Amino acid sequence: RFSRAALRDYARLLGAFIAAERQKGLAVEVGVELDIKVALSSLPELQGSEQDQPAVLVQLSSRSRASPKNSEDKILWSGCFCCVYGDDLSENMPEDFTCLPLFLANGAESYMSVVGNWFQKTFDCIFRRLAISPFSLTWMVAMWTGCKVDKATSAVELVFSVPRLPQPLDISYAIHPEDAKALWDTIQKTPGEITQEEVDVFMDCLYSHFHRHFKIHLSATKLVKVSTAIASAHCDGIVKMLHSQYLSGVLMLLTELAISQIQ
Amino acid sequence: LVGSDEELQQKLAEAILQEKRDFKISIHIATSLPLPSERDHLRPRIDLIVFMIDIKSKYSLKNVEASLAHVDATFFLGKVYFLVTGVGRVNCCSIETNAVCKLGEAYCSPVLFCELELEGVRVATAQRLLRMLQICAGLVPGFSALSFSLLMRNSADD
């Protein structure tokens, strides 16, 4: 059973596992010849409500054998188990069950694979890529477009993949962030609340504008990526957080998505 | 069959025509309604209208919504069905299934969910549609189109 008191032990075990895997020739980054140190820690700052359990951070760092002892470790890979406003899930969990439905990973896929394997072997858990449907992406772009930012530096961008063509075709639709926000502001009725209808109207406006100019029905294609000044998200589960102020909101959304894919 | 995906409509039509039956059927495929009025006098009686919606395409839903306005009210007494395909790929959905169910309720017509891209499901769907068509054409004694569609809708709610 997972226990926060044993984080140091887990780090040691995971480190040994990684070393063993590297001996076998797995999880090796080309040109990298160094000892990998594993650190596990609790991140109490990363949670939403009282019911959320504090996040657990996993970090793989390296110290080159060649460099002097007091040189800084280079972080190779970070992963973080978290739960931000996941009340729906934690309500139904037994008292001593650690429930962290969302995992954020940053770094090479090979390390993710090894770390994931160890956790799945050691604890009762399963790692699975978070797939984000076009439907969920429309919610994200509507929500994030409405967020107030001081200087809107990046455009609101939507990327569509056109199905059934002999050669793959992607359409990128970029909108000036102020125009996008102005459009959203005319649609959203209650600040702080978003309805499905409002998201639909927002997307319909964007689609019909595009159709007027290019005679292409974007609604018949697959929305694969959305990008705003707050964050960007791709249907394969690749997310970029770009604005610290709204980090909690983005994580709350992702937690909700993760929970819906578990249930 | 009314829908924006001609390829899928063709496949479904072919599957229906391959089924054994003891009555003649003709399948008219259209991307949208209204049908061209010049051919009104040549057109045979329409017994069943199936609106096809692809859960991966918001456009297909919009297309169907626009076409519904051109259907005479009498058809909604059991001769209209919504067929939603693509439900096997939840991660690719562009529309909310709730929205389609609401559409079905608004037009008092049953909603069928399927995955036409899978041959087995396509064949099963074709068989269902053929049976429904038989009822809607009045070829099954004791069963009217209206009573059957009420049966379909009530069982769907369960």
Side-chain angles (χ1 to χ4, degrees), chain A residues 131 133-135 164 204 217 219, chain B residues 5 58-59 62 91 93-94:
Chain A
S133 67
F135 181 71
R164 308 254 191 86
D204 284 344
H217 288 288
S219 53
Chain B
D5 189 336
K58 185 92 194 276
Y59 175 71
K62 293 267 164 215
N91 291 333
C93 73
S94 292

Side-chain angles (χ1 to χ4, degrees), chain A residues 131-136 138 164 196 200 203-204 207 217-223 235 261, chain B residues 4-8 54 56-60 62 89-96 99 117:
Chain A
I132 308 178
S133 67
F135 181 71
S136 300
T138 59
R164 308 254 191 86
Q196 179 63 56
D200 286 343
M203 294 309 294
D204 284 344
Y207 291 154
H217 288 288
L218 287 175
S219 53
T221 65
K222 182 185 176 195
L223 179 59
C235 60
Q261 291 194 11
Chain B
S4 53
D5 189 336
E6 290 179 59
E7 200 185 314
L8 221 50
D54 188 344
K56 307 191 294 294
S57 163
K58 185 92 194 276
Y59 175 71
S60 69
K62 293 267 164 215
R89 313 268 299 283
V90 161
N91 291 333
C92 294
C93 73
S94 292
I95 58 184
E96 215 191 353
E117 304 199 28

Side-chain angles (χ1 to χ4, degrees), chain A residues 187-198:
Chain A
I187 295 169
Q188 186 180 27
K189 294 190 197 72
T190 322
E193 255 180 55
I194 302 185
T195 65
Q196 179 63 56
E197 231 187 294
E198 288 166 354

Side-chain angles (χ1 to χ4, degrees), chain B residues 8 11 85-86 88 114-125:
Chain B
L8 221 50
K11 281 192 189 160
T85 183
C114 66
E115 182 51 273
L116 290 177
E117 304 199 28
L118 293 177
E119 198 190 328
V121 180
R122 195 163 64 232
V123 168
T125 307

Side-chain angles (χ1 to χ4, degrees), chain A residues 231-249:
Chain A
S232 75
H234 185 277
C235 60
D236 287 340
I238 300 171
V239 177
K240 276 203 186 120
M241 328 268 194
L242 300 164
H243 206 283
S244 52
Q245 188 190 339
Y246 294 102
L247 182 65
S248 181

